[in-house]
Amino acid sequence: LRAIVSSADLCIAANGVIAGDQRDAGASRVEILPMSIDTNVWNAKDRPSPDDTVTIGWSGAPGNLPFLEPLVPALRRISEAQANVRIAIHCGRRPDLSGLDFVHHPFVSGEEPDSVRTFDIGLLPLPDDPFVLGKSPIKTLQYFASGVAVVGQDVGATAEFLQHDVTGLTVTAERTWQENLRRLIEDTDLRARLVRGGQELIAGRHTMEAVVDRYVELLDSTVEATNPRGRSGRPRHAPPLLNRPPSA
């Protein structure tokens, strides 16, 4: 990493945590290029019609199930106390969650957005460890784009997405999982406000179009800084990185 970043004219990172690592490794210029999401695929247009049931959901790979397992006692208490609550798990493997009653959505390629759109509340449990600190939570963006209200832990790079009472509810010693979930279950206006906050974040920063524009801007500025002749001075065999595809 030190050899790569110290020789680069521009280093790009998906979030501030990784950007800090690159700077620590000797990068002379680091810029953040946010994660993007395809809103033609991930959107709230085909959400099921609302009813009296509130679905609390988690979506993730089998390897991330240990993130979810500590929540089982809180989810069980919520299910027992709230008759209108349903728990849904979207995962490539049906988990064993200690007697918790839940609906399992098995992973099917291309159908993941349909499963997430059945959620009213999306769970984002994350441990505070070095791996997670730099993890860019694509699930957060998928929840936001799908019209799902998010409750989770603003650990590391996730804090760049999850702002309490604006784009989601964050878990602390005072604001427990159970307390946050109870608020979201009972307050439909709060859920709607958080959904709007998440979708505004997507629209302003994380669409594919916005990220492509930022990427081209970064490349242009790097070429201009390292080659005063600009684009006209690029070798003939160089790939057309700066030419934005018509479909973008």
Side-chain angles (χ1 to χ4, degrees), residues 167-205:
T167 59
L169 297 185
T170 57
V171 176
T172 65
E174 295 77 22
R175 300 190 298 264
T176 64
W177 283 100
Q178 191 166 342
E179 173 61 22
N180 280 329
L181 288 171
R182 184 190 62 77
R183 284 187 64 199
L184 286 174
I185 291 166
E186 297 176 355
D187 193 339
T188 56
D189 290 339
L190 173 61
R191 291 206 307 270
R193 177 160 56 82
L194 297 182
V195 166
R196 287 194 300 271
Q199 291 183 327
E200 288 171 2
L201 182 68
I202 294 284
R205 182 175 169 83

PDB file of all heavy atoms in Angstrom, residues 167-205:
ATOM      1  N   THR A 167     -31.370  10.664   8.918  1.00  0.00           N
ATOM      2  CA  THR A 167     -31.397   9.571   7.947  1.00  0.00           C
ATOM      3  C   THR A 167     -31.644   8.212   8.601  1.00  0.00           C
ATOM      4  O   THR A 167     -31.789   7.207   7.902  1.00  0.00           O
ATOM      5  CB  THR A 167     -30.079   9.505   7.153  1.00  0.00           C
ATOM      6  OG1 THR A 167     -28.991   9.309   8.077  1.00  0.00           O
ATOM      7  CG2 THR A 167     -29.853  10.793   6.367  1.00  0.00           C
ATOM      8  N   GLY A 168     -31.660   8.177   9.917  1.00  0.00           N
ATOM      9  CA  GLY A 168     -31.892   6.929  10.621  1.00  0.00           C
ATOM     10  C   GLY A 168     -31.883   7.155  12.115  1.00  0.00           C
ATOM     11  O   GLY A 168     -31.770   8.290  12.588  1.00  0.00           O
ATOM     12  N   LEU A 169     -31.998   6.070  12.859  1.00  0.00           N
ATOM     13  CA  LEU A 169     -31.844   6.115  14.309  1.00  0.00           C
ATOM     14  C   LEU A 169     -30.599   5.327  14.668  1.00  0.00           C
ATOM     15  O   LEU A 169     -30.396   4.217  14.178  1.00  0.00           O
ATOM     16  CB  LEU A 169     -33.064   5.517  15.014  1.00  0.00           C
ATOM     17  CG  LEU A 169     -34.406   6.225  14.821  1.00  0.00           C
ATOM     18  CD1 LEU A 169     -35.482   5.564  15.678  1.00  0.00           C
ATOM     19  CD2 LEU A 169     -34.307   7.712  15.138  1.00  0.00           C
ATOM     20  N   THR A 170     -29.756   5.906  15.510  1.00  0.00           N
ATOM     21  CA  THR A 170     -28.507   5.248  15.890  1.00  0.00           C
ATOM     22  C   THR A 170     -28.612   4.668  17.293  1.00  0.00           C
ATOM     23  O   THR A 170     -29.290   5.220  18.167  1.00  0.00           O
ATOM     24  CB  THR A 170     -27.328   6.231  15.818  1.00  0.00           C
ATOM     25  OG1 THR A 170     -27.589   7.361  16.658  1.00  0.00           O
ATOM     26  CG2 THR A 170     -27.109   6.711  14.390  1.00  0.00           C
ATOM     27  N   VAL A 171     -27.926   3.562  17.484  1.00  0.00           N
ATOM     28  CA  VAL A 171     -27.948   2.841  18.747  1.00  0.00           C
ATOM     29  C   VAL A 171     -26.799   3.312  19.634  1.00  0.00           C
ATOM     30  O   VAL A 171     -25.652   3.371  19.200  1.00  0.00           O
ATOM     31  CB  VAL A 171     -27.844   1.322  18.504  1.00  0.00           C
ATOM     32  CG1 VAL A 171     -27.761   0.562  19.824  1.00  0.00           C
ATOM     33  CG2 VAL A 171     -29.028   0.833  17.668  1.00  0.00           C
ATOM     34  N   THR A 172     -27.126   3.660  20.867  1.00  0.00           N
ATOM     35  CA  THR A 172     -26.129   4.020  21.873  1.00  0.00           C
ATOM     36  C   THR A 172     -26.522   3.341  23.178  1.00  0.00           C
ATOM     37  O   THR A 172     -27.520   2.610  23.239  1.00  0.00           O
ATOM     38  CB  THR A 172     -26.080   5.544  22.090  1.00  0.00           C
ATOM     39  OG1 THR A 172     -27.335   5.977  22.654  1.00  0.00           O
ATOM     40  CG2 THR A 172     -25.831   6.286  20.779  1.00  0.00           C
ATOM     41  N   ALA A 173     -25.759   3.605  24.242  1.00  0.00           N
ATOM     42  CA  ALA A 173     -26.112   3.039  25.544  1.00  0.00           C
ATOM     43  C   ALA A 173     -27.488   3.534  25.994  1.00  0.00           C
ATOM     44  O   ALA A 173     -28.252   2.801  26.637  1.00  0.00           O
ATOM     45  CB  ALA A 173     -25.051   3.417  26.574  1.00  0.00           C
ATOM     46  N   GLU A 174     -27.806   4.783  25.647  1.00  0.00           N
ATOM     47  CA  GLU A 174     -29.096   5.356  26.041  1.00  0.00           C
ATOM     48  C   GLU A 174     -30.203   4.995  25.057  1.00  0.00           C
ATOM     49  O   GLU A 174     -31.363   4.834  25.442  1.00  0.00           O
ATOM     50  CB  GLU A 174     -28.994   6.884  26.149  1.00  0.00           C
ATOM     51  CG  GLU A 174     -28.065   7.392  27.245  1.00  0.00           C
ATOM     52  CD  GLU A 174     -26.594   7.275  26.881  1.00  0.00           C
ATOM     53  OE1 GLU A 174     -26.295   7.212  25.662  1.00  0.00           O
ATOM     54  OE2 GLU A 174     -25.756   7.220  27.799  1.00  0.00           O
ATOM     55  N   ARG A 175     -29.859   4.899  23.779  1.00  0.00           N
ATOM     56  CA  ARG A 175     -30.847   4.589  22.739  1.00  0.00           C
ATOM     57  C   ARG A 175     -30.623   3.152  22.280  1.00  0.00           C
ATOM     58  O   ARG A 175     -29.911   2.887  21.322  1.00  0.00           O
ATOM     59  CB  ARG A 175     -30.710   5.554  21.558  1.00  0.00           C
ATOM     60  CG  ARG A 175     -30.923   7.016  21.921  1.00  0.00           C
ATOM     61  CD  ARG A 175     -31.025   7.872  20.649  1.00  0.00           C
ATOM     62  NE  ARG A 175     -29.812   7.852  19.841  1.00  0.00           N
ATOM     63  CZ  ARG A 175     -28.857   8.764  19.887  1.00  0.00           C
ATOM     64  NH1 ARG A 175     -28.939   9.771  20.752  1.00  0.00           N
ATOM     65  NH2 ARG A 175     -27.792   8.691  19.099  1.00  0.00           N
ATOM     66  N   THR A 176     -31.206   2.227  22.971  1.00  0.00           N
ATOM     67  CA  THR A 176     -30.975   0.812  22.697  1.00  0.00           C
ATOM     68  C   THR A 176     -31.699   0.383  21.429  1.00  0.00           C
ATOM     69  O   THR A 176     -32.551   1.097  20.892  1.00  0.00           O
ATOM     70  CB  THR A 176     -31.470  -0.048  23.865  1.00  0.00           C
ATOM     71  OG1 THR A 176     -32.897   0.110  23.976  1.00  0.00           O
ATOM     72  CG2 THR A 176     -30.813   0.366  25.174  1.00  0.00           C
ATOM     73  N   TRP A 177     -31.354  -0.810  20.976  1.00  0.00           N
ATOM     74  CA  TRP A 177     -32.048  -1.377  19.820  1.00  0.00           C
ATOM     75  C   TRP A 177     -33.549  -1.423  20.070  1.00  0.00           C
ATOM     76  O   TRP A 177     -34.353  -1.020  19.229  1.00  0.00           O
ATOM     77  CB  TRP A 177     -31.534  -2.779  19.519  1.00  0.00           C
ATOM     78  CG  TRP A 177     -30.215  -2.813  18.828  1.00  0.00           C
ATOM     79  CD1 TRP A 177     -28.993  -3.041  19.392  1.00  0.00           C
ATOM     80  CD2 TRP A 177     -29.979  -2.597  17.432  1.00  0.00           C
ATOM     81  NE1 TRP A 177     -28.016  -2.979  18.430  1.00  0.00           N
ATOM     82  CE2 TRP A 177     -28.589  -2.718  17.224  1.00  0.00           C
ATOM     83  CE3 TRP A 177     -30.807  -2.322  16.350  1.00  0.00           C
ATOM     84  CZ2 TRP A 177     -28.002  -2.564  15.964  1.00  0.00           C
ATOM     85  CZ3 TRP A 177     -30.234  -2.166  15.089  1.00  0.00           C
ATOM     86  CH2 TRP A 177     -28.847  -2.290  14.908  1.00  0.00           C
ATOM     87  N   GLN A 178     -33.921  -1.924  21.246  1.00  0.00           N
ATOM     88  CA  GLN A 178     -35.340  -2.099  21.531  1.00  0.00           C
ATOM     89  C   GLN A 178     -36.061  -0.765  21.589  1.00  0.00           C
ATOM     90  O   GLN A 178     -37.175  -0.623  21.059  1.00  0.00           O
ATOM     91  CB  GLN A 178     -35.520  -2.852  22.849  1.00  0.00           C
ATOM     92  CG  GLN A 178     -36.941  -3.307  23.090  1.00  0.00           C
ATOM     93  CD  GLN A 178     -37.043  -4.325  24.205  1.00  0.00           C
ATOM     94  OE1 GLN A 178     -36.054  -4.951  24.588  1.00  0.00           O
ATOM     95  NE2 GLN A 178     -38.241  -4.505  24.733  1.00  0.00           N
ATOM     96  N   GLU A 179     -35.456   0.247  22.182  1.00  0.00           N
ATOM     97  CA  GLU A 179     -36.090   1.562  22.268  1.00  0.00           C
ATOM     98  C   GLU A 179     -36.241   2.185  20.886  1.00  0.00           C
ATOM     99  O   GLU A 179     -37.289   2.741  20.537  1.00  0.00           O
ATOM    100  CB  GLU A 179     -35.269   2.472  23.176  1.00  0.00           C
ATOM    101  CG  GLU A 179     -35.733   3.928  23.213  1.00  0.00           C
ATOM    102  CD  GLU A 179     -37.161   4.088  23.722  1.00  0.00           C
ATOM    103  OE1 GLU A 179     -37.654   3.195  24.428  1.00  0.00           O
ATOM    104  OE2 GLU A 179     -37.778   5.118  23.394  1.00  0.00           O
ATOM    105  N   ASN A 180     -35.184   2.137  20.071  1.00  0.00           N
ATOM    106  CA  ASN A 180     -35.271   2.687  18.716  1.00  0.00           C
ATOM    107  C   ASN A 180     -36.316   1.972  17.870  1.00  0.00           C
ATOM    108  O   ASN A 180     -37.081   2.603  17.131  1.00  0.00           O
ATOM    109  CB  ASN A 180     -33.912   2.600  18.025  1.00  0.00           C
ATOM    110  CG  ASN A 180     -32.962   3.705  18.433  1.00  0.00           C
ATOM    111  OD1 ASN A 180     -33.381   4.820  18.749  1.00  0.00           O
ATOM    112  ND2 ASN A 180     -31.675   3.425  18.426  1.00  0.00           N
ATOM    113  N   LEU A 181     -36.342   0.657  17.965  1.00  0.00           N
ATOM    114  CA  LEU A 181     -37.321  -0.108  17.187  1.00  0.00           C
ATOM    115  C   LEU A 181     -38.743   0.206  17.639  1.00  0.00           C
ATOM    116  O   LEU A 181     -39.654   0.341  16.812  1.00  0.00           O
ATOM    117  CB  LEU A 181     -37.037  -1.601  17.306  1.00  0.00           C
ATOM    118  CG  LEU A 181     -35.790  -2.098  16.564  1.00  0.00           C
ATOM    119  CD1 LEU A 181     -35.487  -3.545  16.931  1.00  0.00           C
ATOM    120  CD2 LEU A 181     -35.978  -1.966  15.054  1.00  0.00           C
ATOM    121  N   ARG A 182     -38.933   0.333  18.941  1.00  0.00           N
ATOM    122  CA  ARG A 182     -40.271   0.674  19.441  1.00  0.00           C
ATOM    123  C   ARG A 182     -40.735   2.009  18.869  1.00  0.00           C
ATOM    124  O   ARG A 182     -41.884   2.148  18.446  1.00  0.00           O
ATOM    125  CB  ARG A 182     -40.255   0.716  20.973  1.00  0.00           C
ATOM    126  CG  ARG A 182     -41.633   0.978  21.577  1.00  0.00           C
ATOM    127  CD  ARG A 182     -41.522   1.263  23.064  1.00  0.00           C
ATOM    128  NE  ARG A 182     -40.725   2.457  23.311  1.00  0.00           N
ATOM    129  CZ  ARG A 182     -41.163   3.702  23.151  1.00  0.00           C
ATOM    130  NH1 ARG A 182     -42.396   3.919  22.727  1.00  0.00           N
ATOM    131  NH2 ARG A 182     -40.385   4.725  23.408  1.00  0.00           N
ATOM    132  N   ARG A 183     -39.835   3.017  18.852  1.00  0.00           N
ATOM    133  CA  ARG A 183     -40.190   4.323  18.287  1.00  0.00           C
ATOM    134  C   ARG A 183     -40.608   4.198  16.822  1.00  0.00           C
ATOM    135  O   ARG A 183     -41.621   4.769  16.406  1.00  0.00           O
ATOM    136  CB  ARG A 183     -39.005   5.288  18.384  1.00  0.00           C
ATOM    137  CG  ARG A 183     -38.731   5.873  19.738  1.00  0.00           C
ATOM    138  CD  ARG A 183     -37.637   6.941  19.625  1.00  0.00           C
ATOM    139  NE  ARG A 183     -38.072   8.078  18.805  1.00  0.00           N
ATOM    140  CZ  ARG A 183     -37.235   8.954  18.255  1.00  0.00           C
ATOM    141  NH1 ARG A 183     -35.926   8.834  18.410  1.00  0.00           N
ATOM    142  NH2 ARG A 183     -37.718   9.962  17.526  1.00  0.00           N
ATOM    143  N   LEU A 184     -39.838   3.457  16.056  1.00  0.00           N
ATOM    144  CA  LEU A 184     -40.130   3.344  14.631  1.00  0.00           C
ATOM    145  C   LEU A 184     -41.409   2.564  14.363  1.00  0.00           C
ATOM    146  O   LEU A 184     -42.152   2.874  13.432  1.00  0.00           O
ATOM    147  CB  LEU A 184     -38.953   2.680  13.913  1.00  0.00           C
ATOM    148  CG  LEU A 184     -37.710   3.546  13.732  1.00  0.00           C
ATOM    149  CD1 LEU A 184     -36.579   2.722  13.141  1.00  0.00           C
ATOM    150  CD2 LEU A 184     -38.010   4.733  12.825  1.00  0.00           C
ATOM    151  N   ILE A 185     -41.669   1.547  15.161  1.00  0.00           N
ATOM    152  CA  ILE A 185     -42.887   0.760  14.988  1.00  0.00           C
ATOM    153  C   ILE A 185     -44.122   1.622  15.259  1.00  0.00           C
ATOM    154  O   ILE A 185     -45.112   1.578  14.517  1.00  0.00           O
ATOM    155  CB  ILE A 185     -42.878  -0.464  15.925  1.00  0.00           C
ATOM    156  CG1 ILE A 185     -41.800  -1.458  15.479  1.00  0.00           C
ATOM    157  CG2 ILE A 185     -44.250  -1.138  15.960  1.00  0.00           C
ATOM    158  CD1 ILE A 185     -41.478  -2.508  16.514  1.00  0.00           C
ATOM    159  N   GLU A 186     -44.059   2.437  16.289  1.00  0.00           N
ATOM    160  CA  GLU A 186     -45.232   3.193  16.726  1.00  0.00           C
ATOM    161  C   GLU A 186     -45.421   4.511  16.004  1.00  0.00           C
ATOM    162  O   GLU A 186     -46.525   5.068  15.993  1.00  0.00           O
ATOM    163  CB  GLU A 186     -45.144   3.434  18.242  1.00  0.00           C
ATOM    164  CG  GLU A 186     -45.161   2.153  19.067  1.00  0.00           C
ATOM    165  CD  GLU A 186     -44.964   2.402  20.554  1.00  0.00           C
ATOM    166  OE1 GLU A 186     -44.724   3.590  20.920  1.00  0.00           O
ATOM    167  OE2 GLU A 186     -45.042   1.445  21.349  1.00  0.00           O
ATOM    168  N   ASP A 187     -44.384   5.041  15.392  1.00  0.00           N
ATOM    169  CA  ASP A 187     -44.443   6.389  14.818  1.00  0.00           C
ATOM    170  C   ASP A 187     -44.256   6.326  13.300  1.00  0.00           C
ATOM    171  O   ASP A 187     -43.137   6.343  12.787  1.00  0.00           O
ATOM    172  CB  ASP A 187     -43.369   7.270  15.452  1.00  0.00           C
ATOM    173  CG  ASP A 187     -43.555   8.747  15.147  1.00  0.00           C
ATOM    174  OD1 ASP A 187     -44.231   9.061  14.156  1.00  0.00           O
ATOM    175  OD2 ASP A 187     -42.998   9.579  15.898  1.00  0.00           O
ATOM    176  N   THR A 188     -45.358   6.261  12.574  1.00  0.00           N
ATOM    177  CA  THR A 188     -45.274   6.184  11.116  1.00  0.00           C
ATOM    178  C   THR A 188     -44.713   7.475  10.517  1.00  0.00           C
ATOM    179  O   THR A 188     -44.039   7.434   9.486  1.00  0.00           O
ATOM    180  CB  THR A 188     -46.660   5.895  10.508  1.00  0.00           C
ATOM    181  OG1 THR A 188     -47.585   6.903  10.939  1.00  0.00           O
ATOM    182  CG2 THR A 188     -47.163   4.531  10.946  1.00  0.00           C
ATOM    183  N   ASP A 189     -44.989   8.621  11.149  1.00  0.00           N
ATOM    184  CA  ASP A 189     -44.450   9.895  10.652  1.00  0.00           C
ATOM    185  C   ASP A 189     -42.926   9.909  10.761  1.00  0.00           C
ATOM    186  O   ASP A 189     -42.240  10.421   9.865  1.00  0.00           O
ATOM    187  CB  ASP A 189     -45.039  11.071  11.424  1.00  0.00           C
ATOM    188  CG  ASP A 189     -46.517  11.292  11.113  1.00  0.00           C
ATOM    189  OD1 ASP A 189     -46.962  10.820  10.048  1.00  0.00           O
ATOM    190  OD2 ASP A 189     -47.208  11.924  11.931  1.00  0.00           O
ATOM    191  N   LEU A 190     -42.405   9.367  11.852  1.00  0.00           N
ATOM    192  CA  LEU A 190     -40.950   9.302  12.017  1.00  0.00           C
ATOM    193  C   LEU A 190     -40.347   8.417  10.932  1.00  0.00           C
ATOM    194  O   LEU A 190     -39.330   8.777  10.323  1.00  0.00           O
ATOM    195  CB  LEU A 190     -40.602   8.759  13.403  1.00  0.00           C
ATOM    196  CG  LEU A 190     -39.112   8.469  13.665  1.00  0.00           C
ATOM    197  CD1 LEU A 190     -38.278   9.742  13.530  1.00  0.00           C
ATOM    198  CD2 LEU A 190     -38.926   7.839  15.047  1.00  0.00           C
ATOM    199  N   ARG A 191     -40.950   7.273  10.679  1.00  0.00           N
ATOM    200  CA  ARG A 191     -40.437   6.395   9.626  1.00  0.00           C
ATOM    201  C   ARG A 191     -40.410   7.124   8.287  1.00  0.00           C
ATOM    202  O   ARG A 191     -39.428   7.053   7.545  1.00  0.00           O
ATOM    203  CB  ARG A 191     -41.280   5.122   9.514  1.00  0.00           C
ATOM    204  CG  ARG A 191     -41.163   4.180  10.691  1.00  0.00           C
ATOM    205  CD  ARG A 191     -41.460   2.733  10.312  1.00  0.00           C
ATOM    206  NE  ARG A 191     -42.729   2.542   9.636  1.00  0.00           N
ATOM    207  CZ  ARG A 191     -43.883   2.282  10.245  1.00  0.00           C
ATOM    208  NH1 ARG A 191     -43.925   2.222  11.575  1.00  0.00           N
ATOM    209  NH2 ARG A 191     -44.987   2.081   9.557  1.00  0.00           N
ATOM    210  N   ALA A 192     -41.499   7.829   7.984  1.00  0.00           N
ATOM    211  CA  ALA A 192     -41.570   8.539   6.703  1.00  0.00           C
ATOM    212  C   ALA A 192     -40.504   9.630   6.625  1.00  0.00           C
ATOM    213  O   ALA A 192     -39.899   9.836   5.564  1.00  0.00           O
ATOM    214  CB  ALA A 192     -42.960   9.145   6.528  1.00  0.00           C
ATOM    215  N   ARG A 193     -40.246  10.316   7.733  1.00  0.00           N
ATOM    216  CA  ARG A 193     -39.239  11.389   7.728  1.00  0.00           C
ATOM    217  C   ARG A 193     -37.841  10.823   7.519  1.00  0.00           C
ATOM    218  O   ARG A 193     -37.032  11.397   6.771  1.00  0.00           O
ATOM    219  CB  ARG A 193     -39.310  12.165   9.043  1.00  0.00           C
ATOM    220  CG  ARG A 193     -38.262  13.251   9.182  1.00  0.00           C
ATOM    221  CD  ARG A 193     -38.673  14.268  10.231  1.00  0.00           C
ATOM    222  NE  ARG A 193     -38.949  13.679  11.516  1.00  0.00           N
ATOM    223  CZ  ARG A 193     -38.010  13.361  12.415  1.00  0.00           C
ATOM    224  NH1 ARG A 193     -36.731  13.545  12.124  1.00  0.00           N
ATOM    225  NH2 ARG A 193     -38.334  12.854  13.589  1.00  0.00           N
ATOM    226  N   LEU A 194     -37.537   9.709   8.142  1.00  0.00           N
ATOM    227  CA  LEU A 194     -36.220   9.098   7.974  1.00  0.00           C
ATOM    228  C   LEU A 194     -36.049   8.575   6.547  1.00  0.00           C
ATOM    229  O   LEU A 194     -34.954   8.675   5.977  1.00  0.00           O
ATOM    230  CB  LEU A 194     -36.033   7.962   8.980  1.00  0.00           C
ATOM    231  CG  LEU A 194     -36.043   8.352  10.454  1.00  0.00           C
ATOM    232  CD1 LEU A 194     -35.795   7.126  11.328  1.00  0.00           C
ATOM    233  CD2 LEU A 194     -35.019   9.435  10.761  1.00  0.00           C
ATOM    234  N   VAL A 195     -37.118   8.024   5.980  1.00  0.00           N
ATOM    235  CA  VAL A 195     -37.049   7.556   4.589  1.00  0.00           C
ATOM    236  C   VAL A 195     -36.728   8.725   3.666  1.00  0.00           C
ATOM    237  O   VAL A 195     -35.882   8.615   2.767  1.00  0.00           O
ATOM    238  CB  VAL A 195     -38.371   6.871   4.183  1.00  0.00           C
ATOM    239  CG1 VAL A 195     -38.443   6.705   2.665  1.00  0.00           C
ATOM    240  CG2 VAL A 195     -38.501   5.512   4.859  1.00  0.00           C
ATOM    241  N   ARG A 196     -37.388   9.862   3.875  1.00  0.00           N
ATOM    242  CA  ARG A 196     -37.103  11.042   3.040  1.00  0.00           C
ATOM    243  C   ARG A 196     -35.654  11.483   3.206  1.00  0.00           C
ATOM    244  O   ARG A 196     -34.979  11.819   2.222  1.00  0.00           O
ATOM    245  CB  ARG A 196     -38.038  12.196   3.405  1.00  0.00           C
ATOM    246  CG  ARG A 196     -39.459  12.013   2.933  1.00  0.00           C
ATOM    247  CD  ARG A 196     -40.229  13.321   3.012  1.00  0.00           C
ATOM    248  NE  ARG A 196     -40.286  13.858   4.367  1.00  0.00           N
ATOM    249  CZ  ARG A 196     -41.239  13.552   5.253  1.00  0.00           C
ATOM    250  NH1 ARG A 196     -42.204  12.710   4.927  1.00  0.00           N
ATOM    251  NH2 ARG A 196     -41.236  14.099   6.451  1.00  0.00           N
ATOM    252  N   GLY A 197     -35.153  11.473   4.432  1.00  0.00           N
ATOM    253  CA  GLY A 197     -33.766  11.862   4.663  1.00  0.00           C
ATOM    254  C   GLY A 197     -32.789  10.952   3.950  1.00  0.00           C
ATOM    255  O   GLY A 197     -31.804  11.408   3.357  1.00  0.00           O
ATOM    256  N   GLY A 198     -33.042   9.651   3.992  1.00  0.00           N
ATOM    257  CA  GLY A 198     -32.160   8.711   3.306  1.00  0.00           C
ATOM    258  C   GLY A 198     -32.208   8.863   1.803  1.00  0.00           C
ATOM    259  O   GLY A 198     -31.179   8.816   1.120  1.00  0.00           O
ATOM    260  N   GLN A 199     -33.403   9.073   1.260  1.00  0.00           N
ATOM    261  CA  GLN A 199     -33.519   9.207  -0.188  1.00  0.00           C
ATOM    262  C   GLN A 199     -32.918  10.522  -0.678  1.00  0.00           C
ATOM    263  O   GLN A 199     -32.369  10.583  -1.780  1.00  0.00           O
ATOM    264  CB  GLN A 199     -34.989   9.077  -0.590  1.00  0.00           C
ATOM    265  CG  GLN A 199     -35.518   7.659  -0.382  1.00  0.00           C
ATOM    266  CD  GLN A 199     -36.942   7.470  -0.845  1.00  0.00           C
ATOM    267  OE1 GLN A 199     -37.762   8.380  -0.762  1.00  0.00           O
ATOM    268  NE2 GLN A 199     -37.253   6.274  -1.323  1.00  0.00           N
ATOM    269  N   GLU A 200     -33.000  11.573   0.126  1.00  0.00           N
ATOM    270  CA  GLU A 200     -32.348  12.833  -0.243  1.00  0.00           C
ATOM    271  C   GLU A 200     -30.830  12.673  -0.271  1.00  0.00           C
ATOM    272  O   GLU A 200     -30.148  13.238  -1.135  1.00  0.00           O
ATOM    273  CB  GLU A 200     -32.752  13.940   0.735  1.00  0.00           C
ATOM    274  CG  GLU A 200     -34.192  14.405   0.554  1.00  0.00           C
ATOM    275  CD  GLU A 200     -34.655  15.336   1.660  1.00  0.00           C
ATOM    276  OE1 GLU A 200     -33.825  15.649   2.558  1.00  0.00           O
ATOM    277  OE2 GLU A 200     -35.833  15.752   1.641  1.00  0.00           O
ATOM    278  N   LEU A 201     -30.290  11.891   0.661  1.00  0.00           N
ATOM    279  CA  LEU A 201     -28.847  11.627   0.665  1.00  0.00           C
ATOM    280  C   LEU A 201     -28.440  10.876  -0.599  1.00  0.00           C
ATOM    281  O   LEU A 201     -27.424  11.201  -1.229  1.00  0.00           O
ATOM    282  CB  LEU A 201     -28.461  10.829   1.910  1.00  0.00           C
ATOM    283  CG  LEU A 201     -26.970  10.518   2.076  1.00  0.00           C
ATOM    284  CD1 LEU A 201     -26.185  11.800   2.351  1.00  0.00           C
ATOM    285  CD2 LEU A 201     -26.750   9.518   3.211  1.00  0.00           C
ATOM    286  N   ILE A 202     -29.219   9.882  -0.971  1.00  0.00           N
ATOM    287  CA  ILE A 202     -28.945   9.137  -2.199  1.00  0.00           C
ATOM    288  C   ILE A 202     -28.952  10.072  -3.401  1.00  0.00           C
ATOM    289  O   ILE A 202     -28.022  10.089  -4.221  1.00  0.00           O
ATOM    290  CB  ILE A 202     -29.996   8.023  -2.412  1.00  0.00           C
ATOM    291  CG1 ILE A 202     -29.901   6.941  -1.348  1.00  0.00           C
ATOM    292  CG2 ILE A 202     -29.861   7.412  -3.805  1.00  0.00           C
ATOM    293  CD1 ILE A 202     -28.759   5.988  -1.494  1.00  0.00           C
ATOM    294  N   ALA A 203     -30.011  10.866  -3.526  1.00  0.00           N
ATOM    295  CA  ALA A 203     -30.180  11.717  -4.701  1.00  0.00           C
ATOM    296  C   ALA A 203     -29.067  12.746  -4.826  1.00  0.00           C
ATOM    297  O   ALA A 203     -28.642  13.082  -5.936  1.00  0.00           O
ATOM    298  CB  ALA A 203     -31.539  12.420  -4.640  1.00  0.00           C
ATOM    299  N   GLY A 204     -28.569  13.247  -3.708  1.00  0.00           N
ATOM    300  CA  GLY A 204     -27.575  14.303  -3.775  1.00  0.00           C
ATOM    301  C   GLY A 204     -26.140  13.838  -3.905  1.00  0.00           C
ATOM    302  O   GLY A 204     -25.280  14.610  -4.348  1.00  0.00           O
ATOM    303  N   ARG A 205     -25.876  12.564  -3.572  1.00  0.00           N
ATOM    304  CA  ARG A 205     -24.466  12.172  -3.467  1.00  0.00           C
ATOM    305  C   ARG A 205     -24.152  10.782  -4.000  1.00  0.00           C
ATOM    306  O   ARG A 205     -23.028  10.531  -4.427  1.00  0.00           O
ATOM    307  CB  ARG A 205     -24.054  12.257  -1.984  1.00  0.00           C
ATOM    308  CG  ARG A 205     -22.606  11.945  -1.669  1.00  0.00           C
ATOM    309  CD  ARG A 205     -22.343  12.183  -0.192  1.00  0.00           C
ATOM    310  NE  ARG A 205     -21.051  11.676   0.236  1.00  0.00           N
ATOM    311  CZ  ARG A 205     -19.899  12.318   0.102  1.00  0.00           C
ATOM    312  NH1 ARG A 205     -19.886  13.500  -0.468  1.00  0.00           N
ATOM    313  NH2 ARG A 205     -18.770  11.773   0.516  1.00  0.00           N
TER     314      ARG A 205
END
